[in-house]
Amino acid sequence: MTTHGGASPSLIDVARAAGVSTATAGRALGGYGQVSERTRERVLAAAAELGYRPNGLARSMITGSTHTIGVVVADVANPFFATALSGITDVAQPAGFEVLLANTGGALAAEQRAVSVMSEKRVDGMIVAAAQPGEGTHLKHAMEAGVPVVLIDRQVSGVPEADSITIDNEHAAAEAVAHLLELGHRRIGVITEAGDQLARLRAGTRRRGLFPSAVRLRGYVRALDAAGVEVDEALVAPARYERGSAYDALLSLLDLADPPTAVLCTDNVLASGAYRAAQDRGLRMPEELSLIGFDDEPWTTLVRPELTIVEQPTYDLGARAGRQLLDHIEGERAGRAPQHIQLKAKLVARESTARPVAVR
Amino acid sequence: MTTHGGASPSLIDVARAAGVSTATAGRALGGYGQVSERTRERVLAAAAELGYRPNGLARSMITGSTHTIGVVVADVANPFFATALSGITDVAQPAGFEVLLANTGGALAAEQRAVSVMSEKRVDGMIVAAAQPGEGTHLKHAMEAGVPVVLIDRQVSGVPEADSITIDNEHAAAEAVAHLLELGHRRIGVITEAGDQLARLRAGTRRRGLFPSAVRLRGYVRALDAAGVEVDEALVAPARYERGSAYDALLSLLDLADPPTAVLCTDNVLASGAYRAAQDRGLRMPEELSLIGFDDEPWTTLVRPELTIVEQPTYDLGARAGRQLLDHIEGERAGRAPQHIQLKAKLVARESTARPVAVR
């Protein structure tokens, strides 16, 4: 007997109180299979006396649907994922689906475990912001077992049959850099989590299995190439996904013999760290440095100068993923080719970008 | 037969393929009750052929535990709830518990539905930031049905037997006001969602069933009373939980014939709206206005002047609630009196508060 203190009575408890087998108690309570009227009454009386709850699980086991979707993200405390998650719940809940959440901290092992547990709990489908876009074996297994998967924010190698909803990150970053080029900047730096992938990005044609940061770095390179401005590796400053790391990265760019006049930060955490570093260094923005960040967070219009940003449709990203998954679950996408939807980001020019002083 | 497109095969599918009853298939797969060796093999073969997944639900129905906890919050996109949620998942997931999330938008009906659905899905317990602290009947029903409930951020009327983890909001707000009094301010305004409750708060002794905003307003009143400064109702500016509403509230305070020299904003959303209004009005902070907000969000040190804030232990709030609930689920709190834990907030004095000009 594995019931535990404080929990509701289990089927075993009911069966024992009624003096029948667990299987018989299950048949009597679930209303399936054969059971005598007298036994049924005894089981129902025991269930009532013990306070046994009407059981969604039993129904789920029989119908094969739990009306639950799994959502796997790296960090729910990051406003990007929190906002996407609210888009998902706003679509799922009115349709009668609950959301099972896993927060992986960006660790592949935690994601693999979460996908396995959710699969065992028989979620009807999953929305996954993959920890490692290069590794999708566990997602492939889930799909082979009949669990539809919708990828969000990042495509994943090895699961081309999964739908994906992403931002057009290459275009978004290229547009931000083009804005700086138009203002007259030529020394344009970038603070990026994908700093080590520069050589591969410039050579390669790989489209899947990349973090958004790598795709954005490719957009940075593309915009410079298109303008005939040579990419200077010294201006590509690597940073971890932390404010402090971005802070150090901006200072290292400023300490170059020939420092950049403008810097693109490829996400909101990096942008806030870099903004702080520019403040602490006493730099006047935009006169001495133009700065661009990602995501239209409230702080970006409270700071002076207001931050020029690339606005991502984050809530829509979640809502679209939710609708796509519900379509799958309801069988409306059966037999169709997977969809890879890219939503557009938008450059919002504010006060932190202007012509470089030397050009004025 | 209610299986659906794209979903994994159900117990019914397996039973049909094996030519046995659903109950027999369940016994054969679950390893409980009596079933002949020959039948068992036929069912297992059918399950393997159909790709029937090892089923956590079946096990859950038998043991009475789903290793799932429900979390009910008003707005997961609010950094406060997102951070508390990450505290909960960081405790629950390593202990083998998944998190079922409901986002209610602060609507009581949505919360009642979520609690009912979660109860039916047999979560092992729930953590609830109640939409309406005055209404706890649905939570009482869940507890009577054997689902332990831990209240977070706000206590609820009618469920004194539920544990609660809250911030000592009265003390936190009183400390913020005391800081302003010490600096020499006497005209101290407050922007609050509980503006309509001022009279009741000053008269009453009600301790449960109050929003944090109301408890904070009581702290404001207490601190002024303690200093012998009369509470001026004109300085209590009501606002909805929106930046724009707080923006308008600050402007209305500034437009008074005898405006405040300092203003307390009782949460982070209100603080960012008020900060923006002070900027747009061209007020020099802290010389012309001292301002205090809640929550140590990154933007509060990026703005100039940096914002003086009351720092809430938000992550700990979630982590403590998670641990408390797991103790309940594991039976370690059986028969003990409910615990009402209050965590301390901390005033962090920065640049947005100083002596009023008149006193200098």
Side-chain angles (χ1 to χ4, degrees):
Chain A
M1 176 127 160
T2 53
T3 189
H4 44 66
S8 61
S10 71
L11 190 62
I12 291 178
D13 300 329
V14 174
R16 174 175 293 196
V20 300
S21 73
T22 315
T24 300
R27 283 202 301 278
L29 291 166
Y32 58 89
Q34 287 221 325
V35 59
S36 76
E37 187 59 23
R38 186 156 159 270
T39 301
R40 200 180 73 87
E41 278 176 12
R42 208 162 69 222
V43 171
L44 292 181
E49 191 171 340
L50 290 171
Y52 182 82
R53 280 179 284 153
N55 192 335
L57 289 186
R59 205 157 46 240
S60 296
M61 197 170 77
I62 293 165
T63 65
S65 170
T66 56
H67 278 84
T68 306
I69 64 173
V71 176
V72 180
V73 298
D75 179 13
V76 72
N78 178 323
F80 177 84
F81 290 118
T83 302
L85 181 58
S86 78
I88 294 171
T89 57
D90 283 358
V91 167
Q93 290 178 179
F97 284 79
E98 303 303 312
V99 171
L100 200 60
L101 174 72
N103 204 27
T104 65
L108 180 60
E111 177 177 300
Q112 288 167 329
R113 180 180 155 276
V115 167
S116 161
V117 168
M118 286 181 171
S119 190
E120 188 172 317
K121 281 189 190 296
R122 309 196 68 140
V123 296
D124 292 324
M126 290 183 213
I127 295 173
V128 179
Q132 292 294 337
E135 176 50 57
T137 310
H138 56 304
L139 300 176
K140 192 172 181 63
H141 287 162
M143 294 186 75
E144 285 169 354
V147 184
V149 171
V150 172
L151 303 172
I152 190 170
D153 189 43
R154 40 196 83 171
Q155 295 197 329
V156 178
S157 293
V159 280
E161 58 283 350
D163 281 5
S164 65
I165 320 275
T166 54
I167 307 290
D168 186 351
N169 285 304
E170 183 165 343
H171 177 79
E175 194 183 16
V177 173
H179 168 66
L180 294 170
L181 288 165
E182 276 164 33
L183 288 169
H185 293 275
R186 290 298 174 269
R187 297 287 293 166
I188 299 173
V190 60
I191 298 179
T192 170
E193 287 177 82
D196 56 337
Q197 296 179 48
L198 182 62
R200 206 179 64 171
L201 288 170
R202 296 179 72 179
T205 53
R206 184 172 167 196
R207 295 271 142 185
R208 300 182 69 85
L210 292 176
F211 279 103
S213 54
V215 182
R216 289 171 190 169
L217 183 57
R218 190 161 57 197
Y220 163 86
V221 170
R222 191 183 82 185
L224 291 179
D225 284 349
V229 174
E230 196 178 352
V231 174
D232 180 352
E233 286 185 29
L235 295 180
V236 178
R240 294 185 308 284
Y241 189 59
E242 298 163 7
R243 287 184 179 83
S245 182
Y247 185 100
D248 295 341
L250 186 72
L251 293 187
S252 72
L253 284 173
L254 297 175
D255 287 340
L256 290 174
D258 187 7
T261 58
V263 172
L264 169 67
C265 302
T266 57
D267 68 52
N268 71 65
V269 172
L270 300 184
S272 70
Y275 198 101
R276 181 61 185 264
Q279 286 178 327
D280 286 359
R281 183 58 72 95
L283 276 185
R284 283 178 302 128
M285 291 185 280
E287 295 84 354
E288 297 177 296
L289 180 72
S290 284
L291 194 67
I292 302 187
F294 263 75
D295 295 336
D296 192 16
E297 289 193 46
W299 71 265
T300 60
T301 54
L302 289 174
V303 292
R304 294 294 177 268
E306 296 188 15
L307 186 66
T308 293
I309 51 113
V310 177
E311 181 184 3
Q312 303 190 74
T314 312
Y315 179 89
D316 273 2
L317 191 77
R320 290 287 289 268
R323 276 195 290 273
Q324 201 74 7
L325 184 59
L326 294 189
D327 279 356
H328 270 287
I329 291 168
E330 285 155 9
E332 289 177 21
R333 296 211 42 76
R336 297 204 205 158
Q339 284 196 317
H340 302 298
I341 298 170
Q342 282 199 326
L343 304 181
K344 286 277 178 227
K346 189 175 74 180
L347 181 74
V348 182
R350 295 190 181 128
E351 304 163 352
S352 68
T353 46
R355 300 176 68 77
V357 167
V359 176
R360 277 181 181 155
Chain B
M1 173 126 161
T2 52
T3 189
H4 45 65
S8 60
S10 72
L11 190 62
I12 291 178
D13 300 327
V14 174
R16 175 174 294 195
V20 300
S21 73
T22 313
T24 299
R27 284 201 299 278
L29 291 166
Y32 59 88
Q34 287 220 324
V35 58
S36 77
E37 186 59 23
R38 188 160 155 266
T39 301
R40 200 180 73 87
E41 278 175 12
R42 206 160 72 222
V43 171
L44 292 182
E49 190 172 342
L50 290 171
Y52 183 82
R53 279 178 285 153
N55 192 333
L57 290 185
R59 202 156 50 240
S60 296
M61 197 172 76
I62 293 166
T63 65
S65 169
T66 56
H67 278 85
T68 306
I69 65 173
V71 177
V72 180
V73 299
D75 179 12
V76 72
N78 178 323
F80 177 83
F81 290 117
T83 302
L85 181 58
S86 76
I88 295 171
T89 58
D90 283 357
V91 166
Q93 291 179 178
F97 285 79
E98 303 303 311
V99 171
L100 200 61
L101 173 73
N103 204 26
T104 65
L108 180 60
E111 177 177 301
Q112 289 166 329
R113 178 178 156 278
V115 166
S116 161
V117 168
M118 285 180 172
S119 191
E120 190 173 312
K121 281 190 190 291
R122 309 196 68 140
V123 295
D124 292 324
M126 290 183 214
I127 296 173
V128 180
Q132 292 294 339
E135 177 48 58
T137 310
H138 56 304
L139 300 175
K140 192 173 181 65
H141 287 162
M143 294 186 74
E144 286 169 354
V147 184
V149 172
V150 172
L151 303 171
I152 189 170
D153 190 45
R154 39 196 82 172
Q155 295 197 329
V156 178
S157 292
V159 280
E161 57 283 347
D163 280 6
S164 65
I165 320 275
T166 55
I167 306 289
D168 186 351
N169 284 303
E170 183 165 343
H171 178 78
E175 194 183 17
V177 173
H179 168 66
L180 295 169
L181 288 165
E182 276 164 32
L183 289 169
H185 293 276
R186 289 298 174 270
R187 296 288 293 164
I188 298 172
V190 60
I191 299 179
T192 169
E193 287 177 83
D196 56 336
Q197 296 179 47
L198 182 63
R200 205 179 64 172
L201 287 170
R202 296 179 72 179
T205 54
R206 184 173 167 195
R207 294 273 142 185
R208 300 181 68 85
L210 291 176
F211 279 104
S213 54
V215 181
R216 289 172 191 170
L217 184 56
R218 190 161 57 196
Y220 164 88
V221 169
R222 191 184 81 186
L224 292 178
D225 283 350
V229 174
E230 196 177 350
V231 174
D232 180 351
E233 287 185 28
L235 294 181
V236 177
R240 294 185 307 284
Y241 188 59
E242 299 163 8
R243 288 186 178 82
S245 182
Y247 185 102
D248 295 343
L250 186 71
L251 294 186
S252 73
L253 285 173
L254 297 175
D255 287 340
L256 291 174
D258 188 6
T261 58
V263 172
L264 169 67
C265 302
T266 57
D267 67 52
N268 70 67
V269 172
L270 300 183
S272 70
Y275 198 101
R276 181 61 184 263
Q279 285 178 326
D280 286 358
R281 184 56 74 95
L283 275 185
R284 282 177 302 128
M285 292 186 277
E287 295 82 356
E288 298 177 298
L289 179 72
S290 285
L291 194 67
I292 303 187
F294 263 76
D295 295 334
D296 191 15
E297 290 194 43
W299 71 264
T300 60
T301 54
L302 289 175
V303 293
R304 295 291 176 272
E306 296 188 16
L307 186 66
T308 293
I309 51 115
V310 177
E311 181 184 3
Q312 303 192 73
T314 312
Y315 178 89
D316 273 2
L317 192 75
R320 290 287 288 265
R323 276 194 290 273
Q324 201 75 7
L325 183 58
L326 293 189
D327 279 356
H328 270 288
I329 291 170
E330 286 156 7
E332 290 179 17
R333 297 210 44 76
R336 299 204 202 157
Q339 284 197 317
H340 303 298
I341 298 170
Q342 281 198 328
L343 305 182
K344 286 276 177 227
K346 188 176 74 180
L347 181 74
V348 182
R350 296 191 182 126
E351 305 164 351
S352 69
T353 46
R355 299 177 67 78
V357 168
V359 176
R360 275 178 182 159

